[in-house]
Each structure stands twice: as structure tokens, then as C-alpha cells.
Amino acid sequence: APPVAGRAALASLKRAGPGKNGRRIAVLGDMLELGEQAADLHADLAPAIDEAKVDVLYACGPLMAHLWNKTPPHRRGAYADKSDGLAAALLGGLKAGDVVMIKGSLGSRMGPLVDAIRGQFKVDHDAPALKESKGMDVIDSKVKERGSREKPASTFSPPAPPDKDGR
């Protein structure tokens, strides 16, 4: 059910309102183990991208290239063969008020991108948007990049941590 999960994640992104001057940013990695229909199933996410009102798409993986090729140029953030190739462009492209949804199969290694965002920005768990958008973390608008200059804020949706029972 990876395409269903991808559409559900995009629907969540649509419901998450960006902050002032913010954008909806989707970061998508390959959905693996889809068989012979994999290329079409990736490309078929294009209407869900439109429906979610995604402003910027970052994509990685050879299968996600099929969606990337159907994405209008004004909506393209960056594409890479592997998730680690997106980190610099993604971190450099975030700004105050952005809502970021990161999704991909475990094998597409999207977790390090979440870690990179968390490492660069301080998360404000008491922000009003967090209370309004379940599952979203809001990053302070006045935070410093580790070691130097101020960096703008953004909002992103990390994977939910397991509860006390490990679920």
C-alpha cells in the first residue's frame, strides 16, 4: 500500500497550514517493492501533488524520477539519485513558515533528511501551529545554525516517535 500511504501523507500536508509566507514542501523518496508497475505508480502521484497544493517538490531515487519528470518546473526544488544528495538543497531551501513532509520507503533512507533538519533547526514544541496541526513540529523563527549565522524557521512533519509500548 505505499502509493496509498504516499497519498495519505500528501493529504496531511494539505491540511497543515504553512506559516506566514510559508510553503508546502514535499520531500519524496522511492516507494520500493511495487513490481512492474513501479514507474507508473510513482508518476501517478502527480495529481495528489496538485491536490495537496504542494509548492515545492524535492524527490530522490530512480523511481521517483518518473514523478519528477511530470512535475512543472516552477514546482521543482531538487532531484537526486539518493536521499543524501538532497540534504544541502533541502536545508538551503527552507524558510520561515514552511511545512515539510518527508516520505519514502525505509530503503530510500529518508530518515537522515529528517535528522538533518532537526540538527539545523531548534524545534519549538509549544508553537501554536503544532497544536493546530497534529504531528507537525514548528521550528523557531529566530534560531541559529549550528556554529554561526541566523537561519530562518520552517515547519516540518517528522515521523512520530514510538509510544511507551513501542508502537
Side-chain angles (χ1 to χ4, degrees), residues 20-129:
K20 184 178 180 183
N21 299 317
R23 304 160 297 167
R24 285 181 180 87
I25 298 176
V27 184
L28 299 175
D30 281 350
M31 300 177 290
L32 303 175
E33 301 179 13
L34 296 177
E36 294 178 12
Q37 297 178 334
D40 290 338
L41 291 170
H42 282 75
D44 289 348
L45 287 176
I49 295 282
D50 291 336
E51 174 71 24
K53 299 181 171 87
V54 170
D55 296 300
V56 183
L57 172 67
Y58 291 84
C60 64
L63 293 170
M64 211 37 88
H66 298 280
L67 174 62
W68 181 257
N69 292 332
K70 288 184 79 171
T71 302
H74 72 274
R75 189 174 272 167
R76 292 180 179 183
Y79 171 81
D81 290 331
K82 297 180 180 178
S83 62
D84 58 3
L86 285 182
L90 176 61
L91 293 174
L94 295 179
K95 66 179 190 171
D98 286 350
V99 178
V100 179
M101 183 275 301
I102 297 176
K103 182 79 176 141
S105 290
L106 186 60
S108 62
R109 303 202 25 86
M110 303 306 283
L113 293 174
V114 174
D115 294 340
I117 292 171
R118 286 181 172 162
Q120 181 152 342
F121 299 98
K122 178 184 167 198
V123 177
D124 177 4
H125 292 283
D126 294 323

